[in-house]
């Protein structure tokens, strides 16, 4: 199901606007609230303030305090309330203010949100889209730079997606909010302020599923999501100067993972490096590496490399750039797969 | 020590604060007999379920012996069409009083389906909940949904969420968050606490600091009623008042029914390890069914023959349910995959196919 | 609306319940002047830190403007040698009053080390805590540890855990669990709530159902004191009494200091989006420093010259701390790996080696 | 660091006793409490009752209600209190009653327990051993059969271990309780009642680290932990009848993972199947498969197989045997690696 970005810009005479990811999400939320009167947006400081990142800016003024409201400061309460609202036929779009503050809600997410449809034999669907400003890179206090994708992806009953640019943020959020199942929407907060072209025209479903090739190449595939996609694109630029053509695959959906898209790319390039911010051990990179090692067993010319955060707590701002995969570390990973020779 | 049920009561629920025809009317004799019928059936079914476990028909069961008055009283106080019940794992008596199909209810104890086979949407009875305190917040969210709906519809009284929890559950952070959210949102929810003295082996004194869950309500600016949970009429009346209060849009209420878990925590528990038979006699007080029988005799609305008849009928009813439970078959393994999502995924589809090939050899 | 600090007070803490020499003695004039010195230094340092952020010296800061009396009063009420403070991210004033090295404290705001560079064991001041409500349970566990220690040692009064939390934090399930555990364990802990009217943009009225965290204490059978948090002497006295109660083994106490967050939530916040300057004027009431100055003048223990001298001294002190913060250098990246475990693992060792090779090219 | 079980029985004249795992853990706890007066055991129903599985039976009577006590019913409270007790110099050994009820404690475990040593720059160590009766197989109610190892293994600052038999349960628990770092001790509840030989004599440290070869073989390596080890041994028995010699590697330490032990075994057998109960996607099997695919890239003759639980909520008792890897499904996995031919 893998698609190239060209696909987007190909189509002519469609409304293109420049938006930051924060603006794109804000716009998508407004359109969702406008189109679906069962949709509700709530969380800490999402109302009057418009969110600490202003992602919900203006929504309460426009849709009223019944549709967009502030809750008390309790994440488990936010998720548990969202579940009850879904049982009452609403389409909650709650926010937890930062990745690290999803942990207090983990019990409600895993034992309740992800299982209610199953427990009720499909009678109590959970059309809940949980927005989580995620990942690091903004020199914030502790617990403001976490990557929870492998925790969420392991939970049966959840779907997980992370946009890499404003175009995807806009369309994937609208798509997620239209789904009858719970979706964890991981917003790369470090990219909130980067502008990009957004094609407001609806894209057919296929565009919304699976992974996309952010940059085609033939010597190796860089697999990434969230904020790491743009970093991998930088790396590809640099490598190109040395004649190394790296393909950049934006995984987008962290559950379900686009196994076919991964296999298609890596069986062509025969080398893969997966890049993520989260800790190495049992990170989502392990799942990606395991899938690729299996599906491309015959074509792989080198072990799949994982360039990731270390198995350490997300550090303070000063050490952030040492923790998050930087261009050097990714290039070392590329070098390892390119120079690998069977012993 | 005195019977727990007779513990000092507390009532901060403004009387007549909400007009509630149903609640004003004291139950007529037909209603009284009906309540006894429910108590008798619940007692019979509960005792039978314990036997089924001993016989190997079901792997386990959580008896509600001694809590019949609390559960029947609460279940009889809510409206099946407008309200919604959020049970724990021990609300068999509420399910019965609420009209849930008891074979479908018992299916969870036969290890057939965790949530039970009954339809929660049709019955307004949420799936069996094994996480202590896990569904209390759902009741608040559901109830707030009724407020939001009312904003658009005519104010014909709000649907009320009835959240069940135990004394042990009151220690969970989620219960605090639920009470605070409910009070802030003025959600039409009733927190119905069965304070049965025990959380498995831990007595309420080591569990609930301050000694009363109802006493916590004031801290949230919520009214509360602490009631003799072994007096079915007292429970019915208190719950009706609480529901009427919530229905009128006046916000959440805590009802704490003081009762006693006369049986083991579950069929795999051995209470002899943490309490004596004397404790049980003293703390348990008089059997709620005996009490209601005396009450009906005193009121002269029923006689021994009536009780005998109802009890025999309850026995037959329990036997029918047993037949139903015996007849219940396991669900096909394919249902493991069918209900994970409303819209399945390629990965899950592939797993389902592999399961079929390897386990069903098709 | 009246200044929040003057909100109706509540006091269920038995007076003289615990013999506490220190608390009985009203502060003498030397002590009073010392309190002003602390207030002035804290105010100066807080204002400076905001400036440092504007100047780009530190990436962010959480001002405590307006909470000086609450924090200095609380910090001055505990014993550095026997007690232990569990701060949030806004307790700069407590840290100062408690004698924490302020350069090491400020290191967290320079994004050098999340927990701060000060030694929590030496200072009895727990690491900077960014999870709202995250450390309240730690105070309970630590305090229970003092009870367990006392069981073996002579009963020379218990070490007391002083847990800091805000009005917003009171909504967290962990805070409820902490209060219940503390009351059940009779742990020597004081829950010191700074009710400053806001949790970022959410006012207390939309946060704390019932309106008072102190009022929740009764539900746990705990005494509580609600005090004017902008009156340093009132806070000092209330906290001393609470600490004495806990130290005597009589169990936990809630102290709710009614104060006001006069500044933004943090240097990246814009209060203009959710409250007006008029709100701030009315709700904030009189500046706690101005109030204490008048008090000292009225008592005739200080004069304008004294205040001028102390304030100038505080300015110099803040400048010294600024020099220290400027001089603070980033920690080596290798420390990412050094403190994960007491005993590292082969996997982590290999990652550290690879990091060195690829990032330090050694 | 991989060791064979023979090693245990080799050494002569050492006290051997027959114990069930539940007895072995109970005995280890008693010895820990006896030897270390800072050790504390607490949780729900661990005192008077002696635990719902009787694992703490008799400990309160013997060591008193100050050392062994019941807490209120709140898992976050149990972990948060344990952290504070550790800060006060104690060695807490808390229990959460069942795997699925560790979720309410996840915030305290991840943001506090696992980070306090780091946050305090090593000044506040967390010598906390969290006992979690884990995994499925006992036809219990919902949330009583969960596998949380991949969640825990992903958390920097935690160590995770799971014993497969009474011998290991006894020694690994004593070892874990002696460590200055937090250890999640996952007890395979389905094996509580199986008796086995326990050598009470102390073994040198090396025995306590890394993985062990539960059964040597040469055609493929079955990698498992917890209750799946004995099932893999059954599979190896059956396969042996057809002349297929399967090596069974008991991973034991789920963090840190014994990478050297895995590489040593699989580079010999050149084929590997990892077996676990937890859901497939982002399960610990992905990490194991990724590690082996990398370390044995040249020697592997087939993709690493993962025979695991499905990406579905742990089902009710009746469907348990369909969910947990059974002998058939494991044999199918073995067949796939043995029959694999490069295309
Ligand atoms: C979150 C959670 N922790 C622990 C358990 C195990 N458990 C099941 S019931 C129970 C006691 C519950 O006591 P209470 O709330 O008083 O309800 P009761 O059993 O008395 O009806 C415990 C500890 C659980 N199911 N969920
Ligand atoms: C668990 C958690 N959720 C959310 C946040 C984000 N956050 C940081 S401070 C804050 C408001 C806290 O308000 P309060 O407890 O009153 O303390 P104050 O900031 O007023 O001192 C919020 C929502 C957090 N740090 N931790
Ligand atoms: Mg109970
Ligand atoms: Mg506040």
């Amino acid at each position: 199901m893998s698609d190239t970005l060209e696909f987007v810009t190909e189509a002519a005479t469609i409304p293109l606007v420049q938006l930051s990811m924060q603006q794109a999400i804000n716009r998508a939320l407004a359109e969702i609230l406008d189109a679906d009167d069962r949709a509700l947006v709530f969380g800490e400081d999402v109302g009057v303030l418009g969110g600490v990142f202003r992602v919900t800016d203006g929504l309460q003024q426009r849709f009223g305090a019944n549709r967009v409201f502030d809750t008390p400061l309790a994440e488990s309460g936010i998720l548990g309330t969202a579940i009850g609202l879904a049982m009452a036929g609403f389409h909650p779009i709650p926010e937890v203010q930062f990745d690290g503050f999803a942990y207090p809600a983990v019990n409600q997410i895993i034992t309740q949100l992800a299982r209610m449809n199953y427990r009720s034999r499909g009678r109590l669907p959970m059309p809940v889209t949980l927005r989580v400003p995620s990942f690091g890179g903004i020199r914030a206090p502790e617990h403001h730079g976490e990557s929870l994708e492998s925790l969420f992806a392991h939970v049966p009953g959840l779907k997980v997606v992370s946009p890499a640019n404003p175009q995807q943020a806009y369309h994937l959020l609208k798509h997620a909010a239209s789904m009858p199942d719970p979706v964890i929407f991981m917003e790369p907060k470090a990219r909130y302020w980067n502008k990009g072209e957004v094609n407001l025209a609806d894209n057919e479903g296929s565009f919304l599923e699976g992974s996309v090739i952010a940059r085609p190449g033939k010597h190796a595939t860089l697999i990434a999501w969230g904020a790491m996609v743009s970093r991998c694109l930088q790396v590809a630029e640099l490598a190109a100067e040395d004649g190394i053509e790296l393909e950049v695959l934006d995984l987008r959906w962290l559950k379900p993972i686009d196994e076919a898209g991964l296999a298609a790319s890596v069986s062509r390039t025969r080398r893969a490096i997966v890049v993520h911010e989260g800790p190495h051990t049992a990170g989502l990179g392990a799942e990606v590496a395991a899938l690729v090692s299996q599906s491309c067993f015959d074509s792989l010319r080198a072990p799949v490399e994982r360039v990731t955060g270390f198995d350490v707590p997300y550090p303070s701002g000063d050490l952030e750039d040492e923790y998050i995969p930087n261009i050097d570390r990714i290039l070392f990973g590329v070098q390892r797969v390119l120079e690998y020779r069977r012993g | 020590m005195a019977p727990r049920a007779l513990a000092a009561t507390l009532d901060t629920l403004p009387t007549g604060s909400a007009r509630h025809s149903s609640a004003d009317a004291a139950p007529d004799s037909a209603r009284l007999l009906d309540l006894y019928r429910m108590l008798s059936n619940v007692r019979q079914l509960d005792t039978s379920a314990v036997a089924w476990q001993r016989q190997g028909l079901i792997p386990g069961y959580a008896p509600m012996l001694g809590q019949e008055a609390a559960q029947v009283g609460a279940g009889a106080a809510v409206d099946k069409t407008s309200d919604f019940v959020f049970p724990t794992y021990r609300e068999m008596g509420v399910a019965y009083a609420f009209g849930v199909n008891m074979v479908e209810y018992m299916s969870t104890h036969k290890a057939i389906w965790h949530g039970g086979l009954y339809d929660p949407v049709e019955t307004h009875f949420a799936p069996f909940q094994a996480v202590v305190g896990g569904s209390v917040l759902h009741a608040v969210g559901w109830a707030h949904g009724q407020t939001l709906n009312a904003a658009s519809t005519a104010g014909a009284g709000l649907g009320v969420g009835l959240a069940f929890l135990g004394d042990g559950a009151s220690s969970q952070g989620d219960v605090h968050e639920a009470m605070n959210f409910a009070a802030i949102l003025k959600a039409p929810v009733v927190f119905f606490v069965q304070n049965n003295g025990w959380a498995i082996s831990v007595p309420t004194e080591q569990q609930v600091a301050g000694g009363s869950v109802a006493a916590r309500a004031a801290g949230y600016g919520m009214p509360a009623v602490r009631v003799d949970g072994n007096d079915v009429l007292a429970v019915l009346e208190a719950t009706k008042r609480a529901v009427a209060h919530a229905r009128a849009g006046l916000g959440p209420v805590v009802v704490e029914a003081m009762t006693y878990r006369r049986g083991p925590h579950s069929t795999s528990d051995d209470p002899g390890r943490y309490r004596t038979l004397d404790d049980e006699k003293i703390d348990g007080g008089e059997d709620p069914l005996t009490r209601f029988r005396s009450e009906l005799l005193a009121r002269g609305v029923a006689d021994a023959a009536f009780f005998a008849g109802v009890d025999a009928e309850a026995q037959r009813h329990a036997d029918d349910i047993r037949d139903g439970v015996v007849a219940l078959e396991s669900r096909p393994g394919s249902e493991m995959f069918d209900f994970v999502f409303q819209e399945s995924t390629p990965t899950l589809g592939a797993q389902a196919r592999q399961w079929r090939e390897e386990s069903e050899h098709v």
Side-chain angles (χ1 to χ4, degrees), chain A, chain B:
Chain A
M1 282 182 301
S2 159
D3 247 315
T4 66
L5 272 191
E6 283 77 81
F7 171 88
V8 185
T9 42
E10 255 167 31
T13 71
I14 36 180
L16 300 179
V17 291
Q18 286 287 324
L19 297 176
S20 69
M21 185 181 286
Q22 170 262 350
Q23 291 168 324
I25 295 171
N26 178 263
R27 183 163 185 154
L29 287 171
E31 292 179 20
I32 292 160
L33 286 161
D34 203 31
D36 173 6
D37 64 5
R38 307 301 283 172
L40 302 171
V41 167
F42 52 93
E44 296 157 11
D45 307 291
V46 300
V48 177
L49 180 62
V52 293
F53 291 107
R54 306 297 181 260
V55 169
T56 55
D57 190 19
L59 297 179
Q60 186 177 69
Q61 290 87 319
R62 177 164 165 201
F63 297 98
N66 274 352
R67 307 269 322 272
V68 180
F69 57 95
D70 290 326
T71 66
L73 207 177
E75 291 74 14
S76 192
I78 291 169
L79 268 293
T81 304
I83 291 163
L85 282 162
M87 290 172 78
F90 288 86
H91 301 158
I93 309 175
E95 167 184 300
V96 296
Q97 202 163 73
F98 286 91
D99 33 67
F101 310 132
Y103 293 126
V106 156
N107 181 52
Q108 281 293 330
I109 293 171
I110 297 183
T111 68
Q112 306 299 328
L113 177 66
R115 286 182 215 211
M116 193 58 78
N117 186 73
Y118 182 90
R119 187 181 292 147
S120 68
R121 305 175 54 78
R123 296 295 285 131
L124 295 170
M126 289 286 120
V128 175
T129 303
L130 174 61
R131 292 184 41 253
V132 186
S134 294
F135 315 120
I138 64 166
R139 283 175 72 80
E142 196 173 7
H143 314 296
H144 293 62
E146 316 261 313
S147 300
L148 279 71
E149 64 268 31
S150 72
L151 187 161
F152 290 135
H154 186 54
V155 179
L158 295 182
K159 297 175 180 180
V160 186
V161 65
S162 186
N165 56 48
Q167 162 75 8
Q168 292 183 16
Y170 173 80
H171 289 291
L172 290 174
L173 180 55
K174 288 175 70 176
H175 182 48
S178 75
M179 295 168 80
D181 297 304
V183 180
I184 311 291
F185 191 81
M186 300 177 71
E187 302 172 359
K189 63 174 88 80
R191 307 291 303 171
Y192 270 145
W193 313 113
N194 298 73
K195 287 198 178 268
E197 191 171 73
V198 177
N199 167 355
L200 299 175
D202 280 341
N203 299 281
E204 65 260 26
S206 80
F207 171 79
L208 302 168
E209 304 296 338
S211 61
V212 290
I213 300 300
R215 173 187 175 115
K218 61 170 189 281
H219 296 123
T221 302
L222 287 168
I223 302 159
W225 50 90
M228 288 299 98
V229 173
S230 55
R231 181 153 301 175
C232 287
L233 288 169
Q234 287 177 286
V235 168
E237 277 299 327
L238 290 170
E241 295 170 7
D242 305 346
I244 300 167
E245 297 174 32
L246 297 174
E247 179 150 300
V248 178
L249 183 145
D250 174 1
L251 195 58
R252 301 202 309 178
W253 284 94
L254 309 181
K255 183 157 193 182
I257 291 177
D258 181 7
E259 304 181 21
L262 282 172
S265 171
V266 179
S267 56
R268 265 193 288 100
T269 62
R270 287 139 81 241
R271 293 177 172 81
I273 306 96
V274 55
V275 179
H276 63 68
E277 298 184 33
H280 184 85
T281 297
L284 199 65
E287 178 63 39
V288 170
L291 287 171
V292 170
S293 297
Q294 176 155 51
S295 61
C296 303
F297 187 76
D298 297 349
S299 47
L300 270 177
R301 289 293 168 264
V304 177
E305 273 291 326
R306 289 186 276 165
V307 181
T308 70
F310 300 107
D311 287 335
V312 308
Y314 190 90
S316 189
D318 273 6
L319 297 178
E320 222 169 32
D321 299 338
E322 300 295 321
Y323 172 87
I324 300 176
N326 53 37
I327 290 176
D328 280 5
R329 286 178 54 212
I330 298 170
L331 283 170
F332 276 113
V334 170
Q335 194 180 0
R336 277 192 293 277
V337 299
L338 292 177
E339 292 178 354
Y340 186 85
R341 298 285 170 273
R342 291 184 182 274
Chain B
M1 198 175 153
R4 295 176 32 79
L6 306 181
T9 62
L10 171 156
D11 190 341
T12 58
L13 182 59
T15 37
S17 64
R19 201 157 291 76
H20 50 286
S21 52
S22 61
D24 296 336
D28 59 20
S29 55
R31 181 71 166 149
L32 292 171
L33 298 181
D34 194 46
L35 285 169
Y36 180 76
R37 227 174 259 110
M38 286 194 268
L39 289 170
S40 174
N41 273 281
V42 165
R43 166 64 57 88
Q44 191 52 252
L45 187 52
D46 185 66
T47 325
S48 303
V50 173
W52 304 345
Q53 191 274 337
R54 305 271 178 262
Q55 299 155 7
L57 169 57
I58 58 178
Y61 177 70
M64 40 82 72
L65 185 72
Q67 302 179 216
E68 297 86 354
Q71 295 196 11
V72 167
V78 278
D79 178 330
K80 295 178 186 53
T81 61
S82 65
D83 304 334
F84 209 104
V85 170
F86 296 80
T88 73
Y89 43 83
R90 204 188 292 285
E91 269 64 72
M92 187 275 278
V94 183
Y96 183 90
F98 213 64
V100 175
N101 174 310
M102 296 314 285
V103 173
E104 293 176 352
Y105 178 86
M106 287 295 179
S107 64
T108 183
H109 295 298
K110 202 182 177 187
I112 286 179
W113 199 262
H114 279 143
L117 291 174
Y118 57 91
D119 180 338
V121 176
E122 220 172 73
T123 57
H124 281 217
F125 194 88
F128 188 91
Q129 175 63 253
V131 178
V132 166
S135 58
V136 180
L137 278 161
H138 308 166
V140 175
W142 183 91
H144 184 56
Q146 309 314 301
T147 308
L148 294 176
N149 287 337
S152 49
T153 68
L158 300 170
V160 175
L162 190 62
F164 283 86
L165 61 142
D167 45 297
S170 71
S171 296
Q172 286 287 354
D174 272 12
V175 171
H176 162 67
E177 296 186 14
M179 289 186 178
N180 190 51
F181 269 61
I184 288 287
L185 295 169
K186 255 174 160 284
V189 59
V190 172
F191 299 99
F192 192 92
V193 182
Q194 286 172 83
N195 186 332
N196 65 0
W198 295 91
I200 304 186
S201 71
V202 180
T204 307
E205 302 67 49
Q206 288 174 44
Q207 181 76 249
V208 182
S212 162
V213 182
R216 301 252 169 99
Y220 304 96
M222 247 192 291
V225 188
R226 195 174 196 218
V227 63
D228 179 344
N230 292 348
D231 175 345
V232 65
L233 295 179
V235 174
L236 176 64
E237 171 63 12
T239 313
K240 275 183 165 177
R241 285 175 53 216
V243 168
H245 183 90
R247 196 183 305 292
L250 301 173
V253 182
V254 174
V255 175
E256 183 175 27
M258 299 305 293
T259 179
Y260 190 74
R261 196 196 77 212
R262 298 173 95 87
H265 169 71
S266 76
T267 45
S268 52
D269 181 34
D270 170 12
R273 294 177 65 97
Y274 52 81
R275 69 187 193 190
T276 68
L277 292 173
D278 282 358
D279 296 337
E280 295 183 6
K281 237 188 227 63
I282 297 163
D283 299 347
E286 194 185 2
D287 181 318
L289 267 78
T290 320
R291 279 177 64 178
F292 194 50
R293 274 201 212 89
S294 328
E295 175 71 28
L296 293 183
L297 289 168
R299 295 190 184 205
V301 294
D303 58 14
F306 169 80
F307 297 130
V310 169
D311 296 354
E313 174 64 33
Q315 172 68 66
R316 279 190 296 279
H317 191 178
D319 293 343
D320 295 346
I321 294 169
R322 184 186 198 285
D323 296 343
V325 172
V326 171
L328 274 178
E329 289 184 357
S330 300
R331 305 302 309 173
S334 56
E335 288 191 349
M336 283 195 296
F337 306 95
D338 295 344
F339 296 120
V340 179
F341 295 112
Q342 288 280 314
E343 288 173 358
S344 189
T345 67
T347 308
L348 192 57
Q351 291 183 14
R353 273 190 303 282
Q354 186 174 9
W355 169 80
R356 261 199 310 285
E357 289 162 21
E358 297 183 355
S359 302
E360 301 217 303
H361 312 294
V362 295

